Amino acid sequence: MQLRPNQRLKLDDTDDKLFYAYPRFVTHVDEGFIQQLTDLYRDRLKPNTRIFDMMSSWVSHLPEEIEFDHVEGHGLNAEELARNPRLNHSFVQNINENPQIPLPDEDFDAVINCVSVQYVQYPEAVFSEIYRILKPGGVAIISFSNRMFFEKAIQAWREASEAERVELVKAYFASVPGFTTAEVIVHKSTLPNFLQWLGAAGGDPFYAVIAYRS
């Protein structure tokens, strides 16, 4: 899987660091989505393990009752990351400029990414890095809905249907030899479209694409 150059383009091609220069202490999905994500983490993440929260913010949605050995955070706004109570350590890096993650090989039991995969311009490189830092048997959980900063999402994502976006993330995993066949979890909204557009609770569809380092 290789994206074409035009598929990587963003409507706003200014430095991502400028767009994220000011902290946004909001959640970008509704409570229903967050609960489903936390439940998924509760099911797939094990206590006393090492977690890498890639493209994180001021909240990680990890289950409060589970203790982890270490949670490493990454993002584009240091103030948001500093506010996140689950992170033991964090760093700022624009992975669209430099996709090489400054973390050791086979050091993490899980990599999580919540509602941010749509902004990755070089997913082939980034998913190779996810594979590299995962321990054998480690899990990667990529979750997303239908919301986005439209001007910062790549063209391949903007122009795709929701089902096609799932296939896109599956293809990102498949582009890296050694990942298991991706598993997909989908919970579509049952609300009428106009209520979804108004932001009614329970309106955000939930998608998760999950693979393991074999």
Side-chain angles (χ1 to χ4, degrees):
M1 195 282 305
Q2 187 79 20
L3 292 181
R4 299 186 301 275
N6 65 298
Q7 291 182 297
R8 305 181 195 275
L9 297 178
K10 302 185 177 189
L11 295 176
D12 176 1
D13 62 358
T14 59
D15 190 332
D16 290 339
K17 288 180 182 176
L18 297 175
F19 187 79
Y20 294 99
Y22 296 97
R24 296 176 174 89
F25 295 115
V26 297
T27 53
H28 301 290
V29 282
D30 66 18
E31 288 300 319
F33 182 103
I34 292 170
Q35 185 60 58
Q36 291 177 84
L37 181 60
T38 301
D39 288 344
L40 177 60
Y41 288 162
R42 184 177 289 114
D43 182 55
R44 300 301 178 101
L45 304 180
K46 296 180 175 60
N48 307 315
T49 54
R50 295 175 58 81
I51 312 296
F52 178 48
D53 188 359
M54 186 176 71
M55 304 174 78
S56 184
S57 65
W58 66 285
V59 60
S60 291
H61 309 304
L62 293 166
E64 291 184 5
E65 74 279 8
I66 298 181
E67 292 290 334
F68 300 102
D69 276 351
H70 182 88
V71 181
E72 183 78 18
H74 154 261
L76 277 174
N77 187 280
E79 194 173 343
E80 287 184 16
L81 295 170
R83 181 81 69 91
N84 189 327
R86 295 308 301 265
L87 302 182
N88 300 108
H89 181 264
S90 63
F91 64 95
V92 172
Q93 179 176 315
N94 182 351
I95 59 174
N96 287 328
E97 288 184 350
N98 176 17
Q100 292 186 325
I101 299 171
L103 297 171
D105 294 355
E106 300 184 12
D107 198 40
F108 288 87
D109 299 279
V111 175
I112 57 177
N113 179 284
C114 174
V115 297
S116 297
V117 69
Q118 59 265 34
Y119 309 120
V120 177
Q121 289 179 284
Y122 300 95
E124 307 93 334
V126 170
F127 276 65
S128 291
E129 284 292 279
I130 292 173
Y131 180 84
R132 180 185 64 78
I133 67 174
L134 274 176
K135 297 176 183 178
V139 64
I141 302 174
I142 311 297
S143 60
F144 52 94
S145 188
N146 57 359
R147 298 200 204 184
M148 71 188 91
F149 294 121
F150 197 77
E151 65 272 36
K152 281 296 183 182
I154 64 170
Q155 179 178 304
W157 194 274
R158 295 195 312 270
E159 295 184 350
S161 66
E162 291 183 27
E164 288 168 340
R165 290 167 184 166
V166 170
E167 294 304 314
L168 200 58
V169 179
K170 287 171 63 179
Y172 294 166
F173 277 121
S175 72
V176 182
F179 273 120
T180 60
T181 301
E183 171 190 355
V184 177
I185 296 174
V186 178
H187 296 136
K188 294 186 178 180
S189 174
T190 57
L191 290 182
N193 284 340
F194 77 94
L195 287 178
Q196 293 183 43
W197 296 331
L198 291 173
D204 288 348
F206 177 86
Y207 296 95
V209 183
I210 305 164
Y212 293 80
R213 175 169 172 155
S214 58

